Structures are given as C-alpha cells and as structure tokens.
Amino acid sequence: MIQIRFIRADGTEQTIQTPPGQSLMKAAVDADVKGIDADCGGSLTCATCHVMIDAPWAGQLSPAIPDECDMLDFAASPVEPGSRLSCQIQLTPALDGLVVRLPASQY
Ligand code: FES
C-alpha cells in the first residue's frame, strides 16, 4: 500500500492508503475523495480529474502525453505548471507519500 495526501483548495485534507498499479484517479474515486469527478472514467475525454502535482513529486511522474496536454485546455480551473489529469498518472511504489492538490472546481 502507498499513502497519498490530497489537499483541497479550501485547505482541508484527506489521506488515503491504496495499492499501486492503478491510476491516481481510480484510487481517489474508490476512496471517495471529493474534488475528483472523473466523468469519463479515465478515457481522457473530460478533464474533470484535474489535479496539481508539485515538486519534488512532479519530477517522478511520466511526462504528460500530447492528448493529456490537449485535454487540460478544457479544465474548469486554471492550469498550473504542475497540472495533470489524474487518470493518466499510474501509481507506483515510488509514489508513496505523494501530495496532490485539488483545484477549486472541476466544472
Ligand atoms: Fe476523464 Fe481523466 S477521468 S480525463
């Protein structure tokens, strides 16, 4: 199991324990993390799984593919340097302790 800490725009936090080998979006939805809607279920067509991953964690993620970058243009909240779509982030044991910031809104 790995630990992931979610920080909402209002400052409230939620920490979950989840197995690696799945997407960050799936782990968040399964743990009922409020603030990740994931309307398309991970097919990269909605941008409602927008999250922000800051340094040093951002450097440990696989780079965003062009389709992810294109879909981020449709995110409801402003895109930041650490913005990613959580359905495109695969959780590995190396991401134990990951800190994820959530945008103010996904719509
Ligand atoms: Fe729809 Fe990630 S869940 S783009």
Side-chain angles (χ1 to χ4, degrees):
M1 300 290 269
I2 61 173
Q3 181 172 292
I4 304 173
R5 181 174 155 218
F6 294 89
I7 304 173
R8 297 184 186 85
D10 66 4
T12 59
E13 298 188 11
Q14 183 174 351
T15 298
I16 69 169
Q17 305 279 340
T18 189
Q22 61 183 334
S23 73
L24 174 60
M25 176 278 283
K26 176 90 167 47
V29 169
D30 286 352
D32 199 26
V33 174
K34 304 297 184 215
I36 296 184
D37 293 278
D39 287 349
C40 78
S43 59
L44 201 47
T45 57
C46 75
T48 62
C49 64
H50 179 202
V51 298
M52 285 79 76
I53 312 284
D54 298 318
W57 295 107
Q60 298 194 33
L61 305 178
S62 299
I65 61 173
D67 285 351
E68 181 183 349
C69 296
D70 291 345
M71 189 51 62
L72 271 169
D73 290 341
F74 295 94
S77 294
V79 172
E80 302 179 13
S83 285
R84 295 292 305 262
L85 294 179
S86 58
C87 66
Q88 301 303 300
I89 296 173
Q90 289 300 309
L91 296 176
T92 66
L95 294 176
D96 185 24
L98 179 68
V99 178
V100 178
R101 287 191 298 114
L102 300 172
S105 174
Q106 299 285 9
Y107 298 100

